[in-house]
Amino acid sequence: MMLKIKRVPTVVSNYQKDEADEGRRVGGCGRNCLNKCCIPGAKFPLYAFKKLNNTLGDKGFPRHENQEAPVAFLDSLILGEWEDRMQKGLFRYDVTACETKVIPGQFGFIAQLNEGRHLKKRPTEFRVDKVLQPFDGNKFNFTKVGQEEVLFQFEASEDGEVQFHPNAPIDVENSPSVVAINVSPIEYGHVLLIPRIFESLPQRIDRESFLLALHMAAEAGNPYFRLGYNSLGAFATINHLHFQAYYLAVTFPIEKAPTKKITNLDVGVKISELLNYPVRGLVFEGGNTLEDLSNSVSDACICLQENNIPYNVLISDCGKRIFLLPQCYAEKQALGEVRAELLDTQVNPAVWEISGHMVLKRKKDYDEASDENAWKLLAEVSLSEERFQEVNALIFGAITCGVDNGNATLLEIQMSSLVLVKKL
């Protein structure tokens, strides 16, 4: 049976809604988009980061060995350019005017009232029972955004040093990664990282793209600038590979939650389980190199994808801590197993909500926001304890294969993973 839910997709580009009514015109669409009709001759700023393989710095992000960056990556390039687009009126509303508060209580959930984010969107049938779905170029994707929505290109430096080029040509053949605004922002500085944009990658994690996201967190170098990822079936709204990121100067509840260590991998990555938090999840941190940490998490994500398990990822602490959160809310919703009072809130619990930043669409819910209400919603997102342990066994089996499979049989790997999980 194919599970579907009626959804209201979030508009992330000013040209997204037009896709329902207009086909792409051959030979130039007049929108100055990123597609082949408009891209020839286009130029954007290019930030080339230093790709490091050494151990992470004490603060959890790569050191530049006293090299001063040519431009302030977070303050000037991301936030400064984001504010420039706000001044130009490219956003659908002023997110800085949205009411926000920290909910009194033990956990410090953050509530935002954003009544305009879900209005006037076209309803669609959204399939939630298939995490991996093929890219469809006829549907909205990020090559259809306006060029004015792009902030810069983000690539590894070819000569090993940080570089900034304010007006670099787009090399379509090499498919650059870009950072663009989200025109329906959740918070200040809300942007999208779109890896290898012209390769038409569907929304699925791969090692190279996840490492790019960690490099972005590391370059920002500020624990209040976080990246997030939603898989299909876990409230991703566009099937074109992308990460989200924004700046919010408060500690997320999930970042304060206690953890219990499960194991250390051979590459120095520590894996723990969240405790005393409404959503069950894993925390990855450490690693001999940034790439070791990245590969451990991306291998776990790939395992979930291939086993059709929806999930969300929060990249925290400048890329030092990563939260992996398998979830089942959309599935429950499609099966009619979510309580009416939770459905009435119209909250789709994706990575930010699961992390404790609750974006509320009704003033009633904002006024009545409480630890108890936030917990009730997020508890519906979480896998059961039994299912979570089954998923952990899959993940640890995949990571064991990815790190050092030696001569172990699949059965031996699965058995060792089950023993590892049961040590909890």
Side-chain angles (χ1 to χ4, degrees):
M1 180 181 67
M2 183 170 72
L3 299 181
K4 289 185 177 181
I5 54 176
K6 281 283 188 181
R7 297 205 64 246
V8 179
T10 300
V11 172
V12 298
S13 166
N14 284 318
Y15 300 109
Q16 182 177 350
K17 291 184 75 177
D18 297 336
E19 295 299 315
D21 307 310
E22 298 181 23
R24 176 64 64 201
R25 287 167 284 180
V26 178
C29 65
R31 297 174 182 165
N32 199 30
C33 71
L34 292 180
N35 222 325
K36 57 185 177 182
C37 51
C38 300
I39 200 65
K43 295 182 178 181
F44 298 99
L46 168 62
Y47 186 94
F49 60 86
K50 184 175 182 179
K51 192 170 183 179
L52 300 179
N53 285 319
N54 58 307
T55 305
L56 296 174
D58 293 337
K59 294 183 179 179
F61 50 92
R63 302 186 184 97
H64 283 154
E65 298 174 359
N66 299 322
Q67 176 194 4
E68 185 173 343
V71 62
F73 181 73
L74 176 60
D75 293 342
S76 297
L77 198 53
I78 296 180
L79 301 181
E81 290 298 310
W82 188 90
E83 288 190 356
D84 172 76
R85 302 314 191 273
M86 183 169 67
Q87 293 297 321
K88 291 176 178 175
L90 296 186
F91 296 102
R92 293 187 171 268
Y93 49 83
D94 181 7
V95 72
T96 64
C98 293
E99 291 184 69
T100 298
K101 64 183 178 183
V102 176
I103 301 172
Q106 177 184 353
F107 301 98
F109 289 108
I110 306 133
Q112 180 199 93
L113 177 61
N114 196 330
E115 294 177 285
R117 196 166 195 260
H118 70 301
L119 299 178
K120 298 180 181 177
K121 307 295 192 299
R122 53 188 172 89
T124 61
E125 291 284 332
F126 185 75
R127 185 167 180 175
V128 299
D129 63 341
K130 194 172 181 183
V131 174
L132 297 180
Q133 300 179 35
F135 180 87
D136 185 349
N138 293 320
K139 295 183 179 179
F140 177 80
N141 63 79
F142 295 113
T143 66
K144 299 181 181 183
V145 307
Q147 293 183 21
E148 69 276 10
E149 297 177 23
V150 176
L151 302 185
F152 58 93
Q153 305 175 65
F154 186 62
E155 296 291 327
S157 174
E158 293 181 356
D159 67 1
E161 298 299 328
V162 178
Q163 293 187 4
F164 178 68
H165 305 279
N167 206 27
I170 279 273
D171 184 354
V172 177
E173 295 302 317
N174 287 325
S175 193
S177 300
V178 302
V179 174
I181 61 171
N182 185 332
V183 301
S184 298
I186 285 176
E187 253 303 338
Y188 179 73
H190 192 169
V191 296
L192 306 168
L193 171 64
I194 309 160
R196 312 194 303 283
I197 185 169
F198 299 117
E199 289 187 20
S200 300
L201 302 169
Q203 185 73 340
R204 61 184 299 171
I205 291 292
D206 62 77
R207 278 188 167 195
E208 181 180 350
S209 299
F210 198 81
L211 181 58
L212 183 77
L214 286 199
H215 273 292
M216 185 174 178
E219 287 297 320
N222 188 313
Y224 296 134
F225 183 80
R226 307 165 178 92
L227 280 84
Y229 176 87
N230 302 316
S231 79
L232 298 183
F235 299 103
T237 57
I238 294 168
N239 188 22
H240 190 178
L241 182 58
H242 65 287
F243 297 82
Q244 301 184 47
Y246 61 75
Y247 178 87
L248 183 61
V250 64
T251 303
F252 282 176
I254 199 170
E255 296 171 328
K256 296 185 288 187
T259 60
K260 181 177 181 180
K261 176 183 168 183
I262 298 176
T263 189
N264 284 320
L265 301 180
D266 291 342
V267 293
V269 174
K270 181 174 80 170
I271 305 177
S272 305
E273 180 185 10
L274 283 171
L275 299 177
N276 194 29
Y277 198 71
V279 182
R280 295 176 178 88
L282 297 175
V283 185
F284 294 71
E285 53 194 322
N288 297 331
T289 67
L290 188 70
E291 189 166 0
D292 287 335
L293 177 60
S294 179
N295 288 345
S296 299
V297 181
S298 57
D299 287 352
C301 293
I302 291 166
C303 169
L304 294 179
Q305 291 167 176
E306 292 179 346
N307 284 279
N308 203 33
I309 300 168
Y311 66 92
N312 309 90
V313 180
L314 177 70
I315 299 173
S316 176
D317 289 355
C318 311
K320 184 180 180 181
R321 297 181 80 205
I322 302 162
F323 298 82
L324 178 58
L325 304 147
Q327 71 143 294
C328 59
Y329 189 87
E331 180 183 359
K332 286 182 178 179
Q333 190 176 357
L335 294 171
E337 296 176 357
V338 178
R339 287 173 289 170
E341 64 265 27
L342 297 179
L343 293 176
D344 288 345
T345 67
Q346 302 179 61
V347 173
N348 294 325
V351 60
W352 308 118
E353 288 79 10
I354 291 173
S355 300
H357 187 196
M358 314 299 293
V359 181
L360 303 173
K361 300 169 183 176
R362 301 188 305 180
K363 193 169 192 312
K364 172 181 181 291
D365 298 320
Y366 182 80
D367 292 340
E368 297 175 358
S370 65
D371 263 8
E372 182 182 3
N373 287 341
W375 189 285
K376 281 181 183 177
L377 174 66
L378 294 184
E380 293 291 337
V381 176
S382 182
L383 302 185
S384 67
E385 177 64 24
E386 180 181 8
R387 178 59 177 153
F388 181 62
Q389 297 304 340
E390 292 172 353
V391 169
N392 278 358
L394 289 171
I395 289 173
F396 285 113
I399 293 175
T400 303
C401 287
V403 175
D404 180 18
N405 59 12
N407 295 315
T409 66
L410 179 59
L411 177 60
E412 289 170 336
I413 290 169
Q414 291 174 331
M415 290 300 293
S416 63
S417 301
L418 286 168
V419 170
L420 183 62
V421 170
K422 286 179 178 178
K423 286 182 179 178
L424 290 170

